[in-house]
Amino acid sequence: MAVMAMAAMAQSTCVLSKSSLFRTGFRCFPQFSARFSSSAATVASTLPSVNTLRRHKGRTTVASLVERGGVQIARDDVVRDEPTNNIPDTIFTKLGMQLHRRNQHPIGILKNAIYDYFDTNYENKFVKFDDLCPIVSVKENFDDVLVPPDHVSRSYNDTYYIDPQTVLRCHTSAHQAEILSRGHRHFLVTGDVYRRDSIDSTHYPVFHQMEGVRVFSPEDWESSGKDGTAYAAEDLKKCLEGLARHLFGAVEMRWIDTYFPFTDPSFELEIYFKEKWLEVLGCGVTEQEILKRSGNSDNVAWAFGLGLERLAMVLFDIPDIRLFWSSDERFTSQFWEGQLGIKFKAFSKYPPCYKDMSFWINESFTENNLCEVIRGIAGDLVEEVTLIDNFTNKKGMTSHCYRIAYRSMERSLTDDEINDLQWNVREQVQSKLNVVLR
Ligand code: DAH
């Protein structure tokens, strides 16, 4: 979850709140559209020796190949010891997982429920793609969907780069232009997407999105008395309100005007669920430039993008985003193909353990880099990283104190284990991020 308004500003000013990105960059609750929903843009060049972030003493061996739709991806093609590569092994291993293609997994069940809605209402018109490779060019991920050259989402702090021209897609919109160019007029793209981010119960560096696109020709709207844009916007809202009712039942909804680089006008849909307004998706009428470049000059289209984890957490009552990656049977055995309404029953709550660490930061320090180091050591045992103190002394040196919550979803952690993790974290935060521990 999560490309772009004032992210730069948000990052530098809201030091004690979660970092954002797409609307203010990623504003997200769990990952999704916030990252792109702003025009403010500044690419912070926060590239420490990022490649060093992935080399940890005593790291366990990582598989050297993953399979993706019959194609094998070698670790060496993705994780490279070069300053322009910021992909850790923990991310490489996720490339083959494809949770959205598992029919008994909450993410797959939700994908199928959305497919059902489109199949029922549009008589199998929408072509579905769910096996497109997540390794895409910078052109596909950003340029083709008109993300400005200086937009914050392009920074090494926010996106995983294999090399300066190649990234792990940070949104399924990366495939829009290419599929349009191939002549498709109705399609859904589901896939895993990758974003560098901070750590809490709703943020994980890999999550899943679904993109939808529908193209109209002049004959579709001419008899309506509306112009193409108004016609598409109305159709879009009707379609997505129906989808929200299909997933959530008879809920109250509201439309919010927003900004995305790829659509104009742009909207977000919110639903009133469990006494809160919940952002469900981002959407809009596709920019003419995208249609023109894909050979659709006279046409008009709508597009939407939604974050599957965000919705699945609400629909299945899943309290922590790490659970989606659990292979513990007590999690996996609770869900059934085709059953959207099942509520997850927590199998146990193991106690969290908190450790604080303080250090003097330097100019290139970012919270995303810190979280990458911590995740590289503690993996999914780290539940949350929170900035709890922040001050600048008379000499202009800034100190941050972070509280790290360690907790397993599956078992109790021993004191020794946590002390070892924390010792390693302290050592590597110091050496990899060049900060001075206090
Ligand atoms: N790509 C956006 C994001 O990840 C989500 C999105 C918003 C997709 C609007 C769209 C759209 O196709 O029209 O933040």
Side-chain angles (χ1 to χ4, degrees):
M1 73 204 159
V3 208
M4 339 206 201
M6 341 259 274
M9 220 165 85
Q11 266 180 348
S12 58
T13 56
C14 317
V15 211
L16 287 167
S17 66
K18 294 299 300 175
S19 67
S20 322
L21 211 43
F22 276 100
R23 183 166 14 249
T24 55
F26 286 98
R27 169 195 85 180
C28 2
F29 154 62
Q31 344 252 358
F32 118 99
S33 61
R35 200 191 205 206
F36 288 95
S37 46
S38 147
S39 54
T42 306
V43 177
S45 90
T46 42
L47 179 61
S49 44
V50 253
N51 59 331
T52 63
L53 298 183
R54 62 169 174 266
R55 286 193 299 273
H56 304 310
K57 239 202 267 168
R59 189 190 62 214
T60 48
T61 323
V62 172
S64 58
L65 272 183
V66 296
E67 218 213 74
R68 213 37 230 261
V71 177
Q72 298 204 311
I73 304 174
R75 175 180 178 274
D76 293 351
D77 292 337
V78 177
V79 182
R80 298 208 197 109
D81 190 8
E82 285 158 16
T84 50
N85 179 295
N86 59 357
I87 308 204
D89 280 322
T90 47
I91 291 294
F92 168 71
T93 56
K94 297 293 192 294
L95 290 174
M97 304 287 253
Q98 297 199 290
L99 302 182
H100 59 287
R101 303 184 77 211
R102 301 184 189 176
N103 292 332
Q104 300 195 7
H105 188 283
I107 299 296
I109 296 169
L110 176 56
K111 178 196 81 173
N112 290 332
I114 302 174
Y115 279 3
D116 285 346
Y117 171 78
F118 280 92
D119 286 344
T120 308
N121 292 282
Y122 298 90
E123 291 163 30
N124 300 320
K125 252 189 175 165
F126 279 78
V127 178
K128 295 144 190 131
F129 300 89
D130 74 350
D131 197 16
L132 300 175
C133 185
I135 302 174
V136 300
S137 64
V138 164
K139 177 176 175 297
E140 290 166 306
N141 198 70
F142 296 120
D143 303 336
D144 287 353
V145 281
L146 313 179
V147 175
D150 57 350
H151 197 281
V152 68
S153 63
R154 294 183 183 242
S155 77
Y156 271 75
N157 191 48
D158 295 338
T159 289
Y160 287 106
Y161 279 80
I162 293 179
D163 61 43
Q165 285 80 42
T166 319
V167 296
L168 299 183
R169 66 183 164 214
C170 70
H171 56 168
T172 43
S173 308
H175 301 286
Q176 262 192 31
E178 202 256 330
I179 297 174
L180 281 167
S181 301
R182 285 199 263 145
H184 288 285
R185 301 172 61 87
H186 299 78
F187 56 87
L188 301 171
V189 182
T190 313
D192 36 336
V193 300
Y194 297 78
R195 293 181 187 179
R196 299 186 83 232
D197 211 338
S198 48
I199 298 179
D200 66 26
S201 64
T202 63
H203 289 79
Y204 201 81
V206 190
F207 58 103
H208 298 78
Q209 285 190 329
M210 188 187 291
E211 189 89 2
V213 176
R214 179 176 191 188
V215 181
F216 299 94
S217 312
E219 54 268 30
D220 293 321
W221 70 79
E222 269 164 10
S223 59
S224 72
K226 297 186 183 87
D227 66 30
T229 302
Y231 182 86
E234 194 174 301
D235 186 84
L236 170 69
K237 289 184 173 178
K238 215 172 66 200
C239 168
L240 294 174
E241 286 170 11
L243 173 62
R245 272 193 298 273
H246 176 72
L247 299 176
F248 292 94
V251 284
E252 206 184 326
M253 303 180 205
R254 67 182 185 193
W255 288 98
I256 313 282
D257 290 331
T258 187
Y259 166 86
F260 295 105
F262 14 89
T263 46
D264 186 22
S266 304
F267 315 102
E268 279 160 6
L269 175 59
E270 294 187 345
I271 61 166
Y272 198 68
F273 195 74
K274 293 193 182 156
E275 280 150 46
K276 266 195 242 152
W277 283 104
L278 170 77
E279 187 188 321
V280 176
L281 51 80
C283 63
V285 177
T286 305
E287 282 285 356
Q288 267 307 312
E289 182 62 22
I290 297 177
L291 294 177
K292 199 169 101 196
R293 291 187 199 168
S294 63
N296 280 290
S297 292
D298 298 329
N299 298 334
V300 167
W302 56 238
F304 70 85
L306 55 82
L308 292 173
E309 273 80 353
R310 172 192 183 74
L311 299 186
M313 287 178 83
V314 173
L315 287 164
F316 293 92
D317 260 352
I318 295 174
D320 191 301
I321 198 164
R322 291 173 296 164
L323 280 163
F324 291 112
W325 299 92
S326 173
S327 53
D328 190 313
E329 261 201 30
R330 290 170 297 174
F331 177 76
T332 56
S333 66
Q334 292 197 30
F335 307 100
W336 297 93
E337 181 164 355
Q339 302 212 12
L340 193 61
I342 291 175
K343 297 299 175 206
F344 169 68
K345 287 189 202 65
F347 32 87
S348 56
K349 267 234 155 190
Y350 298 95
C353 174
Y354 300 101
K355 296 279 176 191
D356 294 351
M357 65 185 299
S358 302
F359 46 82
W360 300 107
I361 63 164
N362 55 35
E363 274 157 26
S364 63
F365 174 81
T366 72
E367 205 170 295
N368 288 356
N369 289 338
L370 173 71
C371 289
E372 195 97 275
V373 171
I374 299 172
R375 253 197 234 280
I377 296 160
D380 286 357
L381 297 181
V382 55
E383 176 169 275
E384 184 154 28
V385 177
T386 321
L387 180 62
I388 56 169
D389 188 34
N390 171 24
F391 70 89
T392 302
N393 71 8
K394 282 190 198 131
K395 292 187 194 153
M397 293 160 72
T398 299
S399 165
H400 282 185
C401 178
Y402 286 92
R403 176 157 297 163
I404 305 174
Y406 295 101
R407 186 199 321 234
S408 168
M409 296 272 120
E410 290 152 12
R411 62 191 176 84
S412 284
L413 301 175
T414 65
D415 283 346
D416 281 356
E417 190 177 10
I418 291 164
N419 288 337
D420 274 5
L421 289 172
Q422 182 65 7
W423 191 85
N424 256 312
V425 164
R426 287 178 66 84
E427 196 193 55
Q428 290 190 24
V429 163
Q430 180 164 244
S431 62
K432 311 252 187 283
L433 303 181
N434 289 320
V435 299
V436 179
L437 294 180
R438 309 181 46 223

